[in-house]
Amino acid sequence: VEISKEELDQEDPYLHDGCRGGGPCSQQCRDTGSSYVCSCFVGYQLQPDGITCEDINECITGTHNCGIGQTCVNTLGSFRCQRDTSCGTGYELTDDSRCKDIDECETGTHNCPPDFICQNTPGSFRCRPKLQCMSGFIQDALGNCIDINECLSTNMPCPAGQICINTDGSFTCQRISPSCGRGYHLNEDGTRCVDVDECSSSNQPCGEGHICINAPGNYRCECKAGYTFDVISRTCIDINECRRYPGRLCAHKCENTPGSYYCTCTMGFKLSADGRSCEDLNECESNPCSQECANVYGSYQCYCRRGFQLSDIDGISCEDIDECALPTGGHICSFRCVNIPGSFQCTCPSTGYRLAPNARNCQDIDECVAESHNCSFNETCFNIQGGFRCLSLECPENYRKAGDTVRLEKTDTVRCIKSCRPNDVSCLLDPVHTISHTVISLPTFREFTRPEEIIFLRAITPTYPANQADIIFDITEGNLRDSFDIIKRYMDGMTVGVVRQVRPIIGPFHAILKLEMNYVMGGVVSHRNIVNVHIFVSEYWF
């Protein structure tokens, strides 16, 4: 039957309404005849697309009406005002801006009658009657005992298949026993018969490869997906999809399962989201290497940071390189090399030395210059390798220190010059003109192959006729184990006494060599200079 357009419009007046079914607008739609206009609920504003609506944040736009002491909290389509400091009824604000419950029972601000006991609760209080009701009853606000209808409680006091009957102060349960036919059983309440779902039982009534379909009072069996019906055995047997469609289902490997199959990938790849393709597995995301990892297609490569080397055993772990044990390790540090993970550190003896700016060599600390010594006012500080010595070097009688008589702040030599009193003939006839004290610091020569020249005494020939004075050098005291000797040498027109170390000395060691430089004329010593050399042999030398 043909129906005219006018009859169709009368039958469905909203047929041509552009807002039919809500239209394209997200909230409100108004049909204008030739088009439609979208609008939003209060608290929302229309977006530039003219269709969707977005919430107006009144707290940001300042269109809220929250007063002083209130914080504006934006909500969908509106807002709410939240107090900043008020705690509400039953609480008081403490000095540390915390809300503390008011105990109305303790402060006496409750309104409980004389027959009731006040019990404080958070933010309020309760009035409990002094008279208590028996079990099965509840007390009302006036203290009256009212029976509790246990049958109306939500936890169902009676077991399934029984109904609850309320009694005064208690209840009783009465059993309901209707009979059900085959394929049905009583529900949990025991009030009616419901269908037995044979398919949900664990013994699988249809057997392997079948689908059990439940029906009212009965069930039927069909083959599952992935199985086919065998007309000979009249059973459902599995379809081996991997054998039926070789190379068409999976990119790498296909594994058949009962009723289905799954794809797997070779090592270094993982299954894609489609369950068939394989993509490279970034093993580095699981941090298989102990330090650095570089992903490659189908595998990965471990490498180590500076100061470490890759283990030859597993190719994963990084082993520390002991720079101190390398063939060049003994020359890395001037004193001692300490291996640390990934690097090394040079150390110096615990006292008297500090590490140089290059972090490898050791520098002697001059305690005398740094004024870190503990020498007294009457002592002179002498710096030696790895330490210092405080020596009190005073001139003997009839001698005075060269230069000022005040204490020397820092020097390597103290020189005393003969200074006789008037008419002191014995002092004037004494051939010793000068007595000097000097301090030298020597290293421990561990590989001693030849004599080491350590002291040079330059003689100044006195004003005597030429070729008549002979200069004799001698070590008179302190030459322990004959470790030193002295020889005469002519250098640049001057006579020089050279003190040599001829035997190795293991430090720390301290000796005082007394050296004499005699000017002999006619077999008689006419002039003598004495030099006391304080020799300190250090254990370490850098």
Side-chain angles (χ1 to χ4, degrees), residues 7-8 26 28 45 60 67 95 102 108 125 156 159 167 189 205 252 256 295 312 378 394 399 412 436 471:
E7 292 175 337
L8 185 62
S26 61
Q28 294 177 330
Q45 62 183 359
I60 296 178
D95 296 335
I102 300 174
F125 64 92
M156 299 299 292
T167 61
D189 299 337
H252 283 191
N256 185 62
N295 184 60
D312 295 332
N378 295 323
E394 299 293 336
Y399 290 87
D412 290 332
S436 301
I471 301 175

Side-chain angles (χ1 to χ4, degrees), residues 267-269 280-284 293-301:
M267 184 178 293
F269 295 88
D280 176 52
L281 175 65
N282 189 352
E283 296 87 352
C284 297
C293 177
N295 184 60
V296 296
Y297 189 71
S299 185
Y300 66 96
Q301 179 65 45

Side-chain angles (χ1 to χ4, degrees), residues 474-512:
D474 191 15
I475 301 176
T476 60
E477 294 180 12
N479 193 4
L480 299 178
R481 298 188 297 275
D482 293 329
S483 300
F484 303 93
D485 68 1
I486 188 167
I487 61 174
K488 185 163 63 173
R489 182 182 299 166
Y490 297 97
M491 299 173 58
D492 299 330
M494 298 181 65
T495 304
V496 179
V498 181
V499 179
R500 304 184 304 174
Q501 181 182 344
V502 295
R503 295 180 184 273
I505 301 176
I506 305 299
F509 175 80
H510 176 212
I512 303 176

Side-chain angles (χ1 to χ4, degrees), residues 422-476:
N423 302 322
D424 190 345
V425 178
S426 62
C427 175
L428 294 173
L429 295 177
D430 187 355
V432 178
H433 280 237
T434 61
I435 301 175
S436 301
H437 296 271
T438 186
V439 176
I440 64 173
S441 183
L442 297 178
T444 296
F445 294 108
R446 302 191 184 277
E447 297 179 0
F448 197 86
T449 57
R450 57 182 177 82
E452 295 287 340
E453 298 178 353
I454 58 175
I455 303 172
F456 297 87
L457 301 178
R458 291 177 173 80
I460 301 175
T461 305
T463 56
Y464 294 114
N467 302 323
Q468 294 185 3
D470 187 18
I471 301 175
I472 300 175
F473 299 94
D474 191 15
I475 301 176
T476 60

Side-chain angles (χ1 to χ4, degrees), residues 56 58 86 97 102 113 206 251 257-258 295 299 343 393 401 403 420 422:
I56 299 174
E58 295 83 0
S86 175
S97 299
I102 300 174
C206 293
T257 60
N295 184 60
S299 185
S343 185
L393 304 178
K401 288 184 179 180
C420 298

